[in-house]
Amino acid sequence: MSPEWLRILWRSPGGRTGCLLIFLLGLLASFTSMGWLGQGWSAGSDISWGEVSASHWFGTNRLGQDIFDRALVATATAFRVGLLVTLGAIAIGACLGGLAGWRHDRWPDHCVMWLAGVLDSVPVFLLAAALAFAFGGGEAAMYLAMILSFWTTTARLVRAEVMRLRGQDFVLAARAIGLPGQQILRRHLLPNTMHLLLVQASLTFVAAIKTEVILSFLGIGLDDGVSLGLMLAEATQDILAGHLGNFLAASGCLFLLLLGLNLAADALQDGVDMKQAPS
Amino acid sequence: MLGRFLALRSFYALSLLLGVTLLTFALMVWFGPDQTYELIGRNSTPEQIDELRAELGYDQPFWNRYGHWLVELASGDLGLSNRSGESVSTLLRRALPVTAALVLPGFLLGNLLGLAAGLWAAWRRGSLWDRLILGASVTGLSLSFLVIIIALQLLLCTPYGLNWFPARGWRMDSLGAYLLHVTVPTLALLLVTLGYNTRFYRAVAAEELQRDHVRTALAYGATPLSLLSGPVLRNCLVPVITRVLYSIPLVLVSGSLLLETYFGIPGIGRVTFDAISSGDQPVLLAVVTLTAALFVVVQLLAEFACRLADPRGRLP
Amino acid sequence: MTACLQVRGLSVDIKGGQKHQPLVQGLDFDLPAGSLTGLVGASGSGKSLTALALLDLLDPRLFTYRADRLQLGDTDLLTLSARARRRLRGQGMAAIFQDPATALDPVSTIGRQLQRVVSRQLNLSTTDARSTVLQALQTVGFEDPQAIARSWPHELSGGMRQRIMIAHAHALRPRLLIADEPTTALDTGHKQRILAHLQKLQTEHGTAILLITHDLRLLPRLADQVLVMRGGRLVEQTQTRALFQTPQHEYSRQLLADLPPAVRKGPPPSAVRKQNALLTVEGLTVTHRSNKHRRITAVHGVSFELLEGEILGLTGVSGAGKSTLARTLLQLHSPDQGSIRLRGQELIGANKEQLQAARRAMQIVFQDPLTALSPRRSIYQLLQEPARHFGLDASYEHCVACLAAVELEADVLQRRPAAFSSGQRQRIALARALISDPALLIADETLSALDVSVQQRIVRLLQRLCRERHISLLLVCHDLALLQQLAHRTAVMQAGKLVELGPTRQLMDQPMHAHTRELVAAQLALDSTRPAALTRAVEP
């Protein structure tokens, strides 16, 4: 992929801030998953709700675990959830949306749109609940629910874009030399939906992280480890006792991550709009 | 022409209904955990177990059970709750007005304020106002619903903050009590939806404002207010109707789920949460199926409304 | 004569782009009251920006403008607030834009939107506004104004919608009307009517009109004076007659020289040497699915022959089925009936290899230069694609040779389509068609979207290619003057049927079919108004 999208991102102050935030948090998250940071997240101590100190930057939780380390691990978890769901949803959305747009108003289109219509009718929390019920809970149900719910938006957008491009002269020119459909789709149409996929990817990332938080809070998300949602669920207990460490750490990380992604999505979208404006 | 359109869309909606019922039934009943031991006491005889299994239909093939369940569903029989033994339809009928009263103010305000702010930002695109509104909405988008609820409760309902409103519970016996209980949830709902709504309406209006007919109207001396409240709003009607209608099921269920759990309000969301946490299959099944059905109906309504709003028959 | 509008030192800049040269630079001109002024220039010369600046409708996020003096009648526009400028729009100055398809509010009836404008501007009661609207509709030639007032914009044709735009002006009687390319999107016949209505506005209400156009041919009869713009500057400002007889500026002379010769004038193309048929079409019928349930016949029983080395013109009003016919030849639409034979080889129902060979021999170039090339690929990749697909020479040298044939250098290969102008893109599209060394080239309105000078360059290029490479050309084109310049024979289509086919000059001189006569008459009406000097001016 060309670094064109990076240039677009870097052009606006918002995009730059978003890039830096994602990069910084991503760096922390990858160091954590490599085992260089945040290793003390599960080790308890006897200082319940400990004060902020040199050894515990954000204090400790009820079990005496270090909140800073837990926030790091939770951020890494958020990246894992976001990446997995985004990759799945965008890949499915691009393929099925491209197919539906190319075979517009034929049976593949009807099938894809029907499936999207069915899945769109079940809100993601309820789908997650139903899947968790069917599979007896667990992470897999959460991932599956999010991917099943989130691919449809991307598919609809890609479909519309492919339909728009399909009528343009360069596609007719490709058809006129008898180029087979899947080659036209691969070489001329899908590359032109790249910008759209990037915007959708960042928005799906945001949706996935937000959904994880709520599902984990409701008890149908992650069942072990640490996540931002689990930390916030824990924080609801702490708050009644007046301890804000967990809440501030988790909501701060969550806010910075989401802000970075939203700013990046905005900057990308603006870049796309500007490019499409003259034609 | 219109009759044919109605028939086609209704047929499509029916096919969607079939799809969602099939999905929920397959997930929750066919693949779902065996309910026998949930319902029966510890010391039951094999005969009792067989009897119950026959009653639940576990000895029947898939399509028979699905058909049977559909017939029950169509006749309004949603079964009994595993947890309380109460009829699911009574449970839901009791919870629905509570949820409606809870989310309605936030839903209306969120859309109206969002529409106003969106139109204004689109008209003054690129101005300081626009950038402020956009910046505020990006911040709003980056806040999780859960964080907003926790923070608002901390600030408004606990001794650590202002402590003006009750932290939990629900009363609707007087207007004062209702306002006291509905304010904080409404604020939370507003904060979480306003960002999305404003951006959506701004994008829709900005696109409309770029069209030639707007430039023509300006060339013949239209004022900003007459333009925004007249042709621009009317041309935006299709996406606006679609969005408002589509968000009804989402707010009713997804929105209330967190609000009611957190504030201890006995509405649909609370019922759903209890069903999720206790594995109450009949209730969960009913909520999922009815929400999906509501969504299909809303989609159909949106199509008809758009058909009326736009003479060209432009569809969402 | 008093000046309706005085402009001194008008410049338009990109916002914050002080480093660049202004897009419009130091314009000085007067528009006398009750006169019609033509503003001509190539696309990108700043014509439309000038219009929007006069109206104060430039997008403030993108452009800024300044002027030393901007005066409408006695009113100094520069000292007015934005609100006061807005109040002036409507009765002080008004505008008509190019695209009639989008210029009207799609969700209000014609009557309602006209009434909205009229009652606001003239402070009329509903009934008075209504009668004013109906009268205005009648003035622009609608026989049943009631029915038009009740209809929706999408139910009307482009020409009708443009007339409704003029009805706005008739109802409000502005002192100045700016018409930005009002006829560009219309067929020749409709052009005539729109221009006649504009003129009526000028003579009946004394409205000063600024007619912005890239088509010099519209001006001789209509305009009192002409402003010629190039690269944001006014290069010539003179009386119309003077411009056409003794153009002063070199650029004006160039523009005049690049006009295609008037119909029935100018030299006909030399005759075709060979007489064997390359392409034979018999009884071709194509139906489209317009929406789910209706089928419309786009091409109906068309038969013709295209000789080797021949340039065959195909003309007709928009919607006549020209493009569908051209695309069907390439199997982009499948015909319902008929036969298409290329050198005797039947294409309908042909197997894969035969089709592949036929596609190699037939190449197409489309109308819209903006979408003709796949935006994400380099020119090199674009040229290689057909070569690879047909298993031909895809080497760098071959691509460079094809580019050279369309007068482009090798250095374009590494760039993407966005880097090129419309004319360059059309030439790249031509180079792409030449890669497979075709025997037949189909040009689907390739010339229509181009400025006159670029158009003439492509015309000469096409002539040379056909001569040197023995290519036959099927030229789909609605401009009879261009066809007369290029085509050996011309076919006329009307509502899907081919109504007349004959040597181009003969067809222009003695049209047989009623529809051909209409087309030629409409074109003649545009041409006949030229001063005799103009015909001389174009001869070398």
Side-chain angles (χ1 to χ4, degrees):
Chain A
M1 197 167 17
S2 72
E4 191 189 346
W5 59 273
L6 254 179
R7 262 206 316 279
I8 292 176
L9 264 182
W10 207 249
R11 218 164 36 203
S12 70
R16 246 178 313 212
T17 319
C19 257
L20 282 176
L21 275 175
I22 299 173
F23 179 73
L24 220 69
L25 288 167
L27 210 63
L28 286 178
S30 35
F31 284 171
T32 309
S33 12
M34 282 175 195
W36 299 342
L37 275 177
Q39 291 316 292
W41 65 277
S42 61
S45 66
D46 38 2
I47 327 160
S48 207
W49 288 319
E51 292 288 307
V52 172
S53 66
S55 55
H56 301 297
W57 290 3
F58 290 167
T60 59
N61 67 0
R62 192 169 55 86
L63 299 175
Q65 294 161 324
D66 182 66
I67 291 180
F68 180 72
D69 278 5
R70 288 175 73 79
L72 280 178
V73 178
T75 307
T77 311
F79 267 96
R80 194 182 74 220
V81 172
L83 278 177
L84 213 71
V85 171
T86 303
L87 284 179
I90 296 293
I92 296 176
C95 292
L96 291 186
L99 178 73
W102 182 246
R103 312 286 297 165
H104 170 61
D105 215 7
R106 314 270 175 81
W107 67 265
D109 183 30
H110 294 307
C111 288
V112 170
M113 292 326 285
W114 181 80
L115 192 62
V118 167
L119 288 170
D120 274 345
S121 302
V122 187
V124 60
F125 301 137
L126 291 187
L127 188 62
L131 281 167
F133 180 80
F135 297 156
E139 269 183 71
M142 180 183 80
Y143 288 127
L144 193 60
M146 286 203 244
I147 292 175
L148 283 179
S149 288
F150 293 158
W151 70 268
T152 56
T153 319
T154 307
R156 284 178 202 278
L157 289 171
V158 170
R159 171 175 178 267
E161 182 70 5
V162 166
M163 274 160 59
R164 186 181 73 84
L165 292 170
R166 205 178 59 146
Q168 292 198 343
D169 286 348
F170 70 88
V171 177
L172 281 175
R175 281 174 58 203
I177 61 170
L179 218 58
Q182 52 112 339
Q183 263 186 47
I184 300 180
L185 200 57
R186 212 180 52 229
R187 267 192 225 160
H188 296 290
L189 294 179
L190 287 182
N192 282 306
T193 58
M194 216 41 160
H195 53 274
L196 197 152
L197 291 183
L198 267 169
V199 174
Q200 274 306 302
S202 29
L203 294 178
T204 308
F205 211 115
V206 170
I209 292 173
K210 281 182 155 181
T211 310
E212 184 275 328
V213 166
I214 292 176
L215 287 178
S216 293
F217 172 77
L218 294 173
I220 43 178
L222 293 176
D223 30 23
D224 56 351
V226 199
S227 81
L228 293 169
L230 292 173
M231 280 180 78
L232 282 170
E234 210 177 284
T236 57
Q237 308 301 319
D238 299 358
I239 277 181
L240 298 177
H243 301 286
L244 298 182
N246 245 336
F247 175 65
L248 291 179
S251 57
C253 284
L254 188 59
F255 177 70
L256 290 180
L257 185 51
L258 295 179
L259 187 68
L261 287 164
N262 276 325
L263 286 174
D266 268 11
L268 284 170
Q269 183 71 56
D270 283 350
V272 172
D273 289 348
M274 221 174 286
K275 202 160 52 182
Q276 281 181 342
S279 60
Chain B
M1 190 65 194
L2 190 66
R4 204 192 156 87
F5 169 78
L6 288 179
L8 264 175
R9 298 323 293 178
S10 307
F11 178 74
Y12 180 68
L14 216 61
S15 82
L16 280 185
L17 270 183
L18 220 60
V20 289
T21 48
L22 201 60
L23 177 75
T24 51
F25 180 81
L27 273 182
M28 302 193 54
V29 183
W30 188 254
F31 288 118
D34 196 318
Q35 293 289 302
T36 316
Y37 300 97
E38 291 267 332
L39 297 175
I40 212 156
R42 281 195 184 276
N43 304 316
S44 41
T45 61
E47 289 78 33
Q48 281 175 310
I49 291 178
D50 283 347
E51 198 184 328
L52 182 67
R53 291 183 66 81
E55 197 189 312
L56 286 170
Y58 281 148
D59 52 351
Q60 302 268 322
F62 178 85
W63 292 106
N64 281 12
R65 287 178 64 191
Y66 175 60
H68 185 66
W69 176 69
L70 269 190
V71 170
E72 277 184 356
L73 195 68
S75 63
D77 178 8
L78 300 173
L80 303 177
S81 161
N82 286 355
R83 195 151 145 272
S84 62
E86 207 175 358
S87 147
V88 176
S89 46
T90 334
L91 204 68
L92 291 180
R93 216 171 292 145
R94 197 172 57 227
L96 190 61
V98 175
T99 299
L102 174 72
V103 297
L104 196 65
F107 180 67
L108 288 180
L109 278 177
N111 276 296
L112 287 177
L113 291 179
L115 188 59
L119 282 174
W120 180 245
W123 174 254
R124 307 296 304 269
R125 225 169 124 186
S127 71
L128 188 66
W129 271 110
D130 180 32
R131 267 177 288 165
L132 273 179
I133 290 176
L134 271 188
S137 70
V138 168
T139 315
L141 289 186
S142 306
L143 288 170
S144 166
F145 199 8
L146 188 58
V147 172
I148 293 176
I149 293 179
I150 296 178
L152 281 178
Q153 200 188 37
L154 186 70
L155 289 175
L156 297 173
C157 313
T158 62
Y160 303 104
L162 297 169
N163 206 10
W164 287 353
F165 299 97
R168 292 177 70 79
W170 182 251
R171 272 172 56 208
M172 278 214 298
D173 36 9
S174 72
L175 186 66
Y178 170 59
L179 286 180
L180 201 63
H181 286 93
V182 87
T183 305
V184 181
T186 298
L187 274 178
L189 203 57
L190 255 185
L191 280 177
V192 82
T193 54
L194 203 53
Y196 280 103
N197 287 341
T198 306
R199 286 164 66 89
F200 177 80
Y201 293 132
R202 177 186 176 275
V204 168
E207 197 190 331
E208 199 55 43
L209 280 170
Q210 280 180 343
R211 293 193 198 281
D212 279 0
H213 71 85
V214 173
R215 197 172 56 171
T216 305
L218 284 173
Y220 283 91
T223 59
L225 197 66
S226 74
L227 198 62
L228 284 180
S229 62
V232 171
L233 189 61
R234 218 156 341 106
N235 274 287
C236 296
L237 222 49
V238 166
V240 170
I241 291 176
T242 313
R243 181 175 180 88
V244 169
L245 283 175
Y246 275 34
S247 51
I248 290 176
L250 287 178
V251 168
L252 272 183
V253 183
S254 305
S256 69
L257 194 58
L258 216 55
L259 277 179
E260 291 175 2
T261 313
Y262 212 83
F263 289 99
I265 298 167
I268 300 283
R270 182 70 208 213
V271 168
T272 313
F273 177 73
D274 289 343
I276 291 173
S277 45
S278 63
D280 194 344
Q281 186 225 34
V283 177
L284 196 55
L285 183 61
V287 169
V288 177
T289 313
L290 290 182
T291 310
L294 179 64
F295 207 92
V296 173
V297 173
V298 152
Q299 254 175 298
L300 195 62
L301 279 179
E303 274 184 20
F304 293 159
C306 294
R307 184 85 181 185
L308 291 178
D310 192 323
R312 289 163 299 177
R314 194 171 49 148
L315 289 177
Chain C
M1 221 186 287
T2 53
C4 171
L5 183 78
Q6 282 184 305
V7 179
R8 294 289 176 274
L10 176 71
S11 298
V12 179
D13 272 317
I14 293 184
K15 190 157 193 176
Q18 262 40 347
K19 288 158 269 170
H20 305 280
Q21 203 157 329
L23 297 171
V24 173
Q25 215 172 343
L27 253 50
D28 300 325
F29 61 88
D30 287 346
L31 302 183
S35 72
L36 195 149
T37 304
L39 176 58
V40 294
S43 49
S45 61
K47 306 188 298 287
S48 293
L49 288 175
T50 305
L52 291 174
L54 293 178
L55 288 159
D56 195 26
L57 284 180
L58 282 171
D59 188 336
R61 289 170 298 146
L62 301 178
F63 306 107
T64 58
Y65 74 95
R66 62 195 144 74
D68 302 329
R69 180 142 157 230
L70 210 56
Q71 193 167 337
L72 182 74
D74 302 326
T75 324
D76 184 0
L77 298 179
L78 292 173
T79 56
L80 293 183
S81 67
R83 181 178 298 231
R85 282 290 288 274
R86 192 183 68 227
R87 283 212 204 92
L88 266 182
R89 293 198 292 260
Q91 284 183 278
M93 48 168 73
I96 298 175
F97 299 106
Q98 174 174 0
D99 189 3
T102 52
L104 293 163
D105 174 6
V107 301
S108 302
T109 57
I110 301 297
R112 190 130 41 95
Q113 41 189 308
L114 269 166
Q115 225 169 303
R116 204 155 55 206
V117 175
V118 167
S119 53
R120 183 182 56 228
Q121 289 282 338
L122 305 177
N123 279 323
L124 292 179
S125 67
T126 317
T127 38
D128 287 350
R130 191 169 165 70
S131 63
T132 311
V133 165
L134 292 179
Q135 209 185 339
L137 286 174
Q138 205 156 22
T139 317
V140 295
F142 289 111
E143 275 156 22
D144 187 358
Q146 307 264 3
I148 293 295
R150 274 195 306 272
S151 55
W152 300 98
H154 70 274
E155 296 167 340
L156 306 176
S157 73
M160 287 161 102
R161 279 184 269 197
Q162 207 61 305
R163 264 150 71 199
I164 285 163
M165 293 311 300
I166 294 180
H168 273 85
H170 267 289
L172 295 181
R173 304 179 185 179
R175 276 182 278 167
L176 169 65
L177 180 73
I178 297 174
D180 190 357
E181 304 271 7
T183 60
T184 307
L186 305 176
D187 288 318
T188 319
H190 292 296
K191 270 185 191 152
Q192 274 307 109
R193 295 185 77 168
I194 294 299
L195 293 174
H197 285 300
L198 279 178
Q199 232 177 357
K200 203 163 150 192
L201 201 63
Q202 180 200 356
T203 52
E204 283 182 12
H205 308 309
T207 304
I209 295 177
L210 180 64
L211 176 65
I212 297 175
T213 179
H214 68 276
D215 193 351
L216 258 177
R217 286 179 288 175
L218 301 181
L219 296 179
R221 186 184 51 176
L222 290 170
D224 302 304
Q225 61 164 346
V226 180
L227 312 172
V228 183
M229 277 185 84
R230 184 192 201 183
R233 289 170 188 273
L234 207 56
V235 297
E236 187 160 358
Q237 170 179 14
T238 174
Q239 296 304 304
T240 312
R241 181 166 287 276
L243 177 78
F244 282 93
Q245 282 170 351
T246 49
Q248 298 298 314
H249 195 275
E250 185 197 347
Y251 181 64
S252 312
R253 279 199 290 275
Q254 177 71 42
L255 275 181
L256 287 173
D258 281 334
L259 287 179
V263 172
R264 295 186 183 166
K265 308 261 165 58
S270 52
V272 192
R273 273 176 240 123
K274 290 187 219 162
Q275 289 294 319
N276 22 349
L278 175 68
L279 182 79
T280 313
V281 174
E282 272 168 25
L284 196 68
T285 298
V286 189
T287 54
H288 273 317
R289 259 188 355 167
S290 71
N291 59 27
K292 275 203 168 132
H293 319 292
R294 255 183 43 217
R295 297 184 75 84
I296 43 169
T297 307
V299 175
H300 194 91
V302 166
S303 307
F304 66 91
E305 251 185 12
L306 178 58
L307 305 178
E308 276 189 32
E310 183 185 35
I311 301 181
L312 178 65
L314 183 60
T315 192
V317 297
S318 47
K322 309 184 292 281
S323 285
T324 310
L325 175 58
R327 288 168 192 193
T328 309
L329 298 179
L330 285 162
Q331 313 292 308
L332 288 174
H333 299 298
S334 42
D336 299 58
Q337 269 175 34
S339 101
I340 303 171
R341 289 197 302 276
L342 185 73
R343 290 185 177 129
Q345 165 72 52
E346 177 63 54
L347 298 187
I348 293 165
N351 64 32
K352 222 174 156 186
E353 284 83 51
Q354 290 166 332
L355 262 185
Q356 178 92 341
R359 282 185 165 131
R360 195 187 136 180
M362 293 195 291
Q363 290 290 320
I364 190 161
V365 180
F366 290 102
Q367 170 173 16
D368 185 3
L370 288 178
T371 64
L373 304 169
S374 192
R376 293 250 154 190
R377 300 176 76 77
S378 73
I379 304 303
Y380 192 27
Q381 282 173 315
L382 285 171
L383 292 181
Q384 276 183 320
E385 186 175 52
R388 292 236 168 91
H389 179 70
F390 291 121
L392 301 168
D393 180 9
S395 67
Y396 181 79
E397 288 73 25
H398 186 51
C399 293
V400 171
C402 286
L403 282 175
V406 297
E407 298 157 15
L408 284 172
E409 304 288 323
D411 62 347
V412 308
L413 279 176
Q414 300 313 324
R415 288 192 270 167
R416 290 198 183 176
F420 300 98
S421 69
S422 299
Q424 284 171 322
R425 287 189 214 189
Q426 286 302 49
R427 280 190 278 153
I428 291 167
L430 256 176
R432 187 174 189 271
L434 293 178
I435 283 275
S436 67
D437 199 13
L440 170 61
L441 197 62
I442 298 175
D444 188 355
E445 297 281 9
T446 305
L447 300 167
S448 340
L450 305 172
D451 288 316
V452 272
S453 302
V454 184
Q455 211 173 41
Q456 282 304 309
R457 190 161 176 196
I458 306 270
V459 164
R460 287 192 291 271
L461 181 62
L462 284 173
Q463 275 171 328
R464 186 170 59 74
L465 287 175
C466 290
R467 207 173 47 236
E468 286 173 5
R469 299 188 164 221
H470 308 292
I471 296 175
S472 306
L473 178 66
L474 179 64
L475 181 67
V476 179
C477 184
H478 66 268
D479 190 335
L480 291 184
L482 286 172
L483 284 176
Q484 173 181 273
Q485 215 183 342
L486 264 170
H488 300 109
R489 291 189 303 156
T490 293
V492 180
M493 282 186 82
Q494 182 194 20
K497 290 191 179 139
L498 204 150
V499 294
E500 188 165 357
L501 171 62
T504 308
R505 192 55 187 269
Q506 192 183 327
L507 195 106
M508 308 275 176
D509 287 343
Q510 297 148 334
M512 306 295 280
H513 192 271
H515 187 63
T516 318
R517 276 204 291 275
E518 272 173 45
L519 290 178
V520 174
Q523 185 74 38
L524 275 176
L526 283 178
D527 284 332
S528 65
T529 55
R530 295 181 206 211
L534 177 53
T535 8
R536 260 184 276 121
V538 296
E539 272 150 30

